[in-house]
Amino acid sequence: MNFTGLYGNEPAKQTLHDLLSEGRFPQALILQGESGCGKSTFARRIAQALVCTGGGARPCGHCTACRKSMTGGHPDILFVDGGPKPRGFGVDLVRSVRADVRIRPNEADRKVYILAQAHHMTEQAQNALLKILEEPPAYTVFLLTCESAQQLLATVRSRCMTVTLSGVSRSDAVRACALLCPEATPEQLEDAYRLWNGNIGRMAASLADGEVTRAHMLCGELLTALTDPSETALLTASAPLIKDKNLCRAVCAMLRGRFIAGMSGRQDLPLTPAQCAGCCDAATQALAAMDRYANQTLTVTLLCASMRRAFGK
Ligand SMILES: [Zn+2]
């Protein structure tokens, strides 16, 4: 299978390649992985490979079927998306798929249905889908994308094979984001990587909406305030973190990265490695508190107090 331009995820690629080349591609496949990790991109590539009529590695990228797939105009690839709302993928959408399934493919040997964000399917929708999956016509392939297969009914899961996608390596993520966000500086790309753990979609979104830049600036302001003799400097600098939890998460993750680097002397910080270790703990605890949905004001206040203590004030 041809994965040109798709980064990382070598185990998933190997599995998909084997299934395709050995002619045993399942009729229902779940692609699971967190939002932004490339599930839709993979699903579209698989669909293209399944309808490609060219020789060699599929999709060949040159045959008529490939050209139609690439512009979204292949009649035998159907993309169904319930939208971003939880429970937005209702039974009516699945019923329309069920009606369409009975119609044979137009041009290819197969008909591929990409059911995107399947975790937003209602229970009723999933039960309707189950009816199709129990006796699918031989020419159909269903590709479901979802954050976790566990979000789907066990009965649906049992009819599907599951392939997991994850974030990619630092070098791949930075390379991919540099292409998607040509304006981003190398430092911003590194920050985005640390922030989103190699999830290319989230990295690019975060760079595009300026979140990385805002977090980066705040991170610098907090470090300056930390060494300020005034007791209130750090609290004042951290005020924007109380209102914006995403920004707070980004700043804490960035601070943590800086402190970890500082502990081994790899970062030019006005802190000793021991001070960095204490501050790193404070940032880690703040991230854990946000995961527990702790009170945001309390979390930020505690972060400041713990960092001040670690700094020796
Ligand atoms: Zn082709």
Side-chain angles (χ1 to χ4, degrees):
M1 189 166 164
N2 174 8
F3 290 107
T4 309
L6 297 186
Y7 295 90
N9 287 297
E10 298 311 325
K13 284 177 181 170
Q14 188 63 51
T15 304
L16 294 169
H17 169 82
D18 292 347
L19 292 170
L20 193 75
S21 60
E22 291 161 16
R24 51 183 182 93
F25 205 90
Q27 281 199 269
L29 180 90
I30 296 172
L31 285 167
Q32 68 172 358
E34 62 178 26
S35 162
C37 75
K39 300 184 293 292
S40 284
T41 312
F42 264 85
R44 288 179 197 275
R45 184 67 64 93
I46 295 167
Q48 190 185 343
L50 288 169
V51 301
C52 169
T53 55
R58 283 180 288 159
C60 71
H62 304 293
C63 69
T64 312
C66 275
R67 285 204 303 272
K68 285 186 182 177
S69 311
M70 286 189 283
T71 55
H74 197 291
D76 297 318
I77 298 176
L78 292 101
F79 190 89
V80 188
D81 186 351
K85 268 198 200 150
R87 314 260 154 248
F89 204 133
V91 71
D92 289 348
L93 266 179
V94 179
R95 282 192 187 128
S96 66
V97 168
R98 195 157 79 189
D100 191 81
V101 158
R102 298 197 193 101
I103 307 165
R104 294 192 59 82
N106 276 287
E107 296 172 9
D109 296 335
R110 287 186 174 104
K111 221 167 163 178
V112 188
Y113 295 87
I114 300 174
L115 308 182
Q117 315 216 59
H119 52 283
H120 289 153
M121 274 190 194
T122 62
E123 197 172 327
Q124 206 187 358
Q126 291 189 53
N127 279 316
L129 175 66
L130 184 61
K131 289 209 182 84
I132 312 176
L133 297 182
E134 278 167 349
E135 280 179 274
Y139 51 78
T140 56
V141 173
F142 291 90
L143 303 173
L144 283 69
T145 72
C146 68
E147 289 178 345
S148 162
Q150 294 301 320
Q151 293 163 297
L152 299 172
L153 294 178
T155 43
V156 170
R157 266 196 329 263
S158 70
R159 299 268 162 191
C160 306
M161 179 175 172
T162 300
V163 168
T164 305
L165 299 180
S166 53
V168 304
S169 72
R170 190 188 137 278
S171 58
D172 277 349
V174 166
R175 202 150 36 98
C177 274
L179 291 173
L180 292 168
C181 311
E183 315 274 284
T185 64
E187 200 176 25
Q188 286 172 327
L189 291 167
E190 289 291 338
D191 279 337
Y193 172 74
R194 261 187 243 131
L195 210 52
W196 292 114
N197 238 341
N199 180 319
I200 296 172
R202 285 192 173 168
M203 284 169 67
S206 188
L207 285 164
D209 81 0
E211 185 183 42
V212 171
T213 312
R214 278 200 308 284
H216 188 85
M217 279 172 61
L218 260 166
C219 193
E221 285 167 22
L222 288 177
L223 287 171
T224 307
L226 176 62
T227 58
D228 193 295
S230 153
E231 255 181 53
T232 52
L234 190 57
L235 275 175
T236 311
S238 68
L241 303 184
I242 294 173
K243 282 178 235 124
D244 189 337
K245 203 168 168 177
N246 282 336
L247 185 65
C248 186
R249 200 180 287 280
V251 169
C252 286
M254 248 178 222
L255 282 171
R256 204 173 160 271
R258 293 281 173 84
F259 294 138
I260 289 173
M263 278 150 70
S264 52
R266 284 184 286 119
Q267 185 81 243
D268 191 18
L269 287 175
L271 276 75
T272 65
Q275 287 171 326
C276 283
C279 289
C280 179
D281 285 346
T284 307
Q285 275 162 21
L287 285 165
M290 278 184 279
D291 284 341
R292 288 195 310 270
Y293 301 101
N295 177 292
Q296 189 64 13
T297 307
L298 205 63
T299 301
V300 174
T301 312
L302 206 61
L303 169 72
C304 292
S306 306
M307 283 187 6
R308 292 276 297 175
R309 200 165 47 241
F311 187 65
K313 291 282 172 184

